[in-house]
Amino acid sequence: MSLRSRLAGAALLLASVSGCGEHPQSSILPKSDFAESIHSLYVLVFWITLVILILVWGAMAYILVRFRARPDAPRPRQIRGHLGMELAWTALPAVIVIAIAIPTINTVFRTQRAAGPDILMIDVIGHQFWWEFRYPDGVVTANDLHLPVGVPVTLRMRSADVIHSFWVPVLGGKRDLNPQVAEPAAVGRPPQTPPNSDQGPGQAGKFNYLHFTVREAGVYRGQCAEFCGQSHSLMGVHVVADSPFEFAAWKRAWRGPSVDSLAADSAAIAGAANPQAAQARIAAAAGGQASDTAVVQDSAVVAASGAIGGGGAARIELGRRTFHSAACVACHTIQGTNAQGQVGPNLTLFGQRQSVAGWLENNPDNLVKWITAPQSVKPAAKMPGVSVAGGGFPATNLSTEQVRAVAEYLYSLGRSAPEGAR
Ligand code: CUA
């Protein structure tokens, strides 16, 4: 092997171990006070161990050279027991352990406390295989956790099924989300039902908490860190850290009225009051015929607000009607519409989400894949597909055109809102 190829190989190896490129889940790029505390411990331990490494290796190298065997050397002096050395290698490690333990224990206690009474408390609920976030003012979202920068936050965690673990490395350590089991029945008393997050303070002992303040705006990736089933590795989470102003704007957008940008009120009422007319318009839209005057009117509304996704206003409108007349509404909520299902993720402002199903890029093509065959995207997902049952629900039997339309509709949510929404 020539010198040049050896150097190239060494450079390649160095590049591969240094992890060049993006590192979205780095635990050494802290973005919260909690992560900074952990990081400063990490740095402290790093320097202590580096000094130990240099001292030990230095001593070893010196001894190897100084006392190496020589052909004509006399037999070395033999010693048995050395009080000074015995004391040194007992006392020194004890001093090192104490030097590490004091700041560590200090950090553990400091990070276990909420910052104060004026914290923002958000319920985090783990599901197979998605994250639910409930804000104290009723805002509910999934997979994207919106947080205001500079505001102390407490995440109150539990699971709806098995144990999950919330882990966004740049924000701090992992925290388990535990299922809340029923208390065993005490003699003479009825058994307690399993509590849910709506029964908040009384069940405080059942939750795990994570307290931190985000320092810097950005989008931070995280991951479920406790094996929870077939799609554990796909249970991704994004934290969207905004300025308090943008955070408030996001909440305003969530509440609408521009949430469902296409739910032109009159059209929605007409559709609900006259299902046959709605069906006729769906058929017309599916056939690509915009001859129906109502569709033309809806299209005009959509055009005025700026349609997104390249699917065209009629298709988005078809998607809206399909979504709201199909089984989707049994499980999903879209704020400001009659979709109020509580079983699956809340889809309000879906177009602003970072991902489809927690790990795929959010675009209409990936939404089509997800709606068509959820288990091909996320094995064991509890959602029915077009031709497969899922989560105890029958197949949706949506046509290819309807799936495309629903995808375009969901992708449009929160995208064409005139103001406030991002
Ligand atoms: Cu949830 Cu692993």
Side-chain angles (χ1 to χ4, degrees), residues 12 50 89 116 120 147 202 242 253 267 283 323 340 346 403 417 421:
L12 206 68
L50 186 69
W89 68 51
L120 171 63
L147 293 176
D242 280 333
F323 184 93
Q340 295 291 322
N346 187 306
V403 168

Side-chain angles (χ1 to χ4, degrees), residues 38-95:
I38 296 172
H39 187 250
S40 55
L41 280 178
Y42 170 78
V43 171
L44 174 75
V45 173
F46 172 81
W47 285 115
I48 290 175
T49 47
L50 186 69
V51 170
I52 294 170
L53 179 92
I54 291 169
L55 289 178
V56 171
W57 282 20
M60 203 157 77
Y62 171 78
I63 291 165
L64 284 173
V65 174
R66 172 76 179 75
F67 300 104
R68 70 186 184 280
R70 292 185 183 87
D72 53 347
R75 191 162 183 264
R77 187 164 63 90
Q78 301 297 300
I79 49 171
R80 183 181 297 253
H82 189 294
L83 185 64
M85 281 172 76
E86 297 271 2
L87 283 175
W89 68 51
T90 305
L92 264 177
V95 170

Side-chain angles (χ1 to χ4, degrees), residues 53-307:
L53 179 92
I54 291 169
L55 289 178
V56 171
W57 282 20
M60 203 157 77
Y62 171 78
I63 291 165
L64 284 173
V65 174
R66 172 76 179 75
F67 300 104
R68 70 186 184 280
R70 292 185 183 87
D72 53 347
R75 191 162 183 264
R77 187 164 63 90
Q78 301 297 300
I79 49 171
R80 183 181 297 253
H82 189 294
L83 185 64
M85 281 172 76
E86 297 271 2
L87 283 175
W89 68 51
T90 305
L92 264 177
V95 170
I96 294 165
V97 168
I98 290 168
I100 293 173
I102 289 173
T104 303
I105 292 167
N106 195 10
T107 304
V108 167
F109 280 95
R110 189 155 37 83
T111 55
Q112 293 290 322
R113 281 195 301 263
D118 56 344
I119 47 153
L120 171 63
M121 168 106 83
I122 301 165
D123 275 305
V124 179
I125 302 153
H127 299 262
Q128 285 173 316
F129 300 92
W130 56 283
W131 305 89
E132 182 174 8
F133 303 108
R134 296 186 186 179
Y135 295 77
D137 52 3
V139 171
V140 179
T141 188
N143 289 350
D144 283 13
L145 171 60
H146 284 253
L147 293 176
V149 171
V151 175
V153 167
T154 290
L155 302 183
R156 184 169 66 171
M157 305 178 170
R158 69 176 181 97
S159 170
D161 35 57
V162 299
I163 302 174
H164 304 273
S165 182
F166 183 86
W167 185 43
V168 181
V170 299
L171 297 183
K174 298 166 184 166
R175 205 65 106 225
D176 276 8
L177 290 78
N178 295 318
Q180 304 198 316
V181 292
E183 297 279 328
V187 179
R189 265 194 264 149
Q192 272 188 287
T193 50
N196 59 43
S197 77
D198 302 327
Q199 298 166 275
Q203 299 294 337
K206 311 267 183 180
F207 297 95
N208 270 343
Y209 296 85
L210 196 57
H211 313 281
F212 59 86
T213 303
V214 183
R215 298 276 207 222
E216 196 182 313
V219 177
Y220 309 126
R221 249 208 75 113
Q223 165 68 38
C224 179
E226 179 70 53
F227 181 70
C228 55
Q230 265 179 290
S231 286
H232 155 69
S233 65
L234 305 177
M235 194 169 160
V237 57
H238 286 88
V239 170
V240 181
D242 280 333
S243 69
F245 177 80
E246 287 171 310
F247 178 72
W250 170 74
K251 282 198 169 176
R252 272 201 307 280
W254 191 92
R255 295 192 179 288
S258 55
V259 168
D260 188 348
S261 62
L262 296 162
D265 294 348
S266 56
I269 292 162
N274 190 352
Q276 280 171 346
Q279 285 300 325
R281 287 198 285 182
I282 290 169
Q289 304 153 4
S291 57
D292 188 304
T293 49
V295 170
V296 172
Q297 281 165 6
D298 289 352
S299 303
V301 170
V302 174
S305 63

